Amino acid sequence: MKKQICSAILLVLTAIIWGVAFVAQSVGMEYVKPFTFNGVRCLIGGVVLIPCIYLLQMIQGSQKERKEEKRTLVIGGICCGICLCFASNLQQIALQWVAVGKAGFLTACYIVIVPILGLFFRKKSSPYIWCSVGIALIGLYLLCVKDTFFLEAADYLLLLSAFLFAVHILVIDRFSPLVSGVKLSCIQFFVSGLFSFILAVILEKPQFSQIFAARLPILYAGVLSCGVAYTLQIIGQKGMNPTIASLLLSLESVVSVLAGWLLLKQKLTFREILGCIILFVAIILAQIPIKKK
């Protein structure tokens, strides 16, 4: 039970950092284009974790990894990195045409996709959790969607992004119990950052002056959103049902609204407050332990 509580706290911290990162992402897009933003921030996230890995090895003592463990770590890091690269870039590209609220709702649809995909990997969810997913979806809709809702061309990019974020959560669920969470996170950032930056060089022709102008949002997104938050996600997901993890991570939508209220002086409507309350109810419901027969 203590382990589950610690994992839940780590995932809530992840959601808080990601929620505030929406502000950094929107500001960063005023200076640089999507692939450049994601490429630089992921590479920064990978570099930040290198001293953390050495520090952990000094504290825990150097333990030789077996050849099989190294192979699993590299494969897991590459798989996570590819999923993260395509998911985050599709989201960033779509943000150029889709309102932030609608983008947040469509991206958060991974809370539905995760348990559906989980069935194919024998990751069954209880009726409580399925009920929580449905309630959370209603809460997210009230929180994020303010106008009439209909799908446009760019929205399908966000749905594809949500699908890839769901795959990312399940890939982490597969590899995180087997390898070091910090090393897995470090590899995924270098893979994602390298792919993104290659695409940036080909398609966007990034300039150092533009990157320097966006240094503050990029540093927040690189150090905290990537280096800290994604690592907390990998550590927090160990031994936790991926559907419950996705529900906890969906709190980033609540935090993004609260961040807009506190940092950008945006007003909170009754609809948004109601959406927050419903989402919290859904997450609490998902935490209720069920006695096995």
Side-chain angles (χ1 to χ4, degrees):
M1 183 61 74
K2 285 182 181 178
K3 192 178 178 183
Q4 290 290 320
I5 292 168
C6 289
S7 296
I9 290 168
L10 292 178
L11 291 173
V12 169
L13 283 173
T14 302
I16 291 168
I17 295 169
W18 283 351
V20 179
F22 266 102
V23 176
Q25 282 178 261
S26 60
V27 173
M29 289 287 284
E30 294 174 11
Y31 303 96
V32 293
K33 291 182 179 178
F35 290 118
T36 304
F37 185 86
N38 281 325
V40 175
R41 78 163 180 165
C42 282
L43 291 173
I44 290 172
V47 170
V48 164
L49 289 180
I50 291 173
C52 296
I53 291 168
Y54 281 107
L55 188 66
L56 283 171
Q57 283 180 339
M58 286 173 62
I59 294 168
Q60 295 171 355
S62 56
Q63 296 175 348
K64 262 196 171 183
E65 290 176 331
R66 290 178 297 175
K67 194 176 179 181
E68 195 177 317
E69 285 179 45
K70 284 183 180 177
R71 185 170 169 272
T72 304
L73 177 64
V74 171
I75 292 170
I78 291 170
C79 291
C80 287
I82 290 170
C83 290
L84 179 63
C85 173
F86 287 103
S88 58
N89 281 311
L90 284 170
Q91 183 192 53
Q92 201 74 17
I93 291 166
L95 278 170
Q96 295 175 107
W97 303 293
V98 182
V100 173
K102 191 178 182 184
F105 172 71
L106 289 172
T107 303
C109 283
Y110 63 71
I111 65 171
V112 178
I113 300 168
V114 167
I116 293 170
L117 289 178
L119 293 174
F120 294 98
F121 299 97
R122 296 180 182 179
K123 294 280 180 183
K124 292 182 180 180
S125 299
S126 70
Y128 272 118
I129 294 173
W130 280 103
C131 184
S132 301
V133 168
I135 294 169
L137 205 61
I138 295 167
L140 284 164
Y141 182 84
L142 291 172
L143 179 66
C144 300
V145 182
K146 295 170 182 64
D147 302 314
T148 53
F149 183 78
F150 58 93
L151 290 176
E152 297 174 303
D155 297 335
Y156 292 102
L157 292 178
L158 286 166
L159 288 173
L160 183 56
S161 171
F163 175 82
L164 290 169
F165 274 123
V167 173
H168 183 248
I169 288 170
L170 290 170
V171 170
I172 289 173
D173 181 66
R174 167 71 179 83
F175 287 100
S176 61
L178 307 174
V179 294
S180 163
V182 182
K183 289 180 182 178
L184 183 68
S185 191
C186 185
I187 293 171
Q188 82 163 347
F189 292 137
F190 279 118
V191 170
S192 178
L194 190 61
F195 272 109
S196 299
F197 205 74
I198 288 169
L199 289 168
V201 170
I202 296 168
L203 301 172
E204 297 172 350
K205 305 291 189 291
Q207 296 177 4
F208 180 76
S209 58
Q210 295 172 335
I211 295 169
F212 185 75
R215 62 192 179 279
L216 291 178
I218 286 175
L219 279 171
Y220 179 90
V223 176
L224 290 174
S225 182
C226 282
V228 176
Y230 275 105
T231 306
L232 290 178
Q233 180 200 3
I234 288 173
I235 296 168
Q237 262 195 245
K238 283 188 178 182
M240 178 170 274
N241 184 309
T243 304
I244 294 176
S246 68
L247 280 167
L248 288 166
L249 293 172
S250 71
L251 278 172
E252 68 174 300
S253 300
V254 175
V255 176
S256 65
V257 172
L258 294 175
W261 174 53
L262 292 169
L263 301 175
L264 304 177
K265 306 298 179 184
Q266 295 173 349
K267 290 183 179 179
L268 276 174
T269 64
F270 173 75
R271 182 189 175 104
E272 288 173 329
I273 294 167
L274 182 62
C276 291
I277 293 167
I278 291 172
L279 190 57
F280 277 120
V281 169
I283 289 165
I284 291 165
L285 181 63
Q287 306 302 315
I288 296 173
I290 299 171
K291 291 179 181 179
K292 293 180 180 178
K293 290 183 182 179

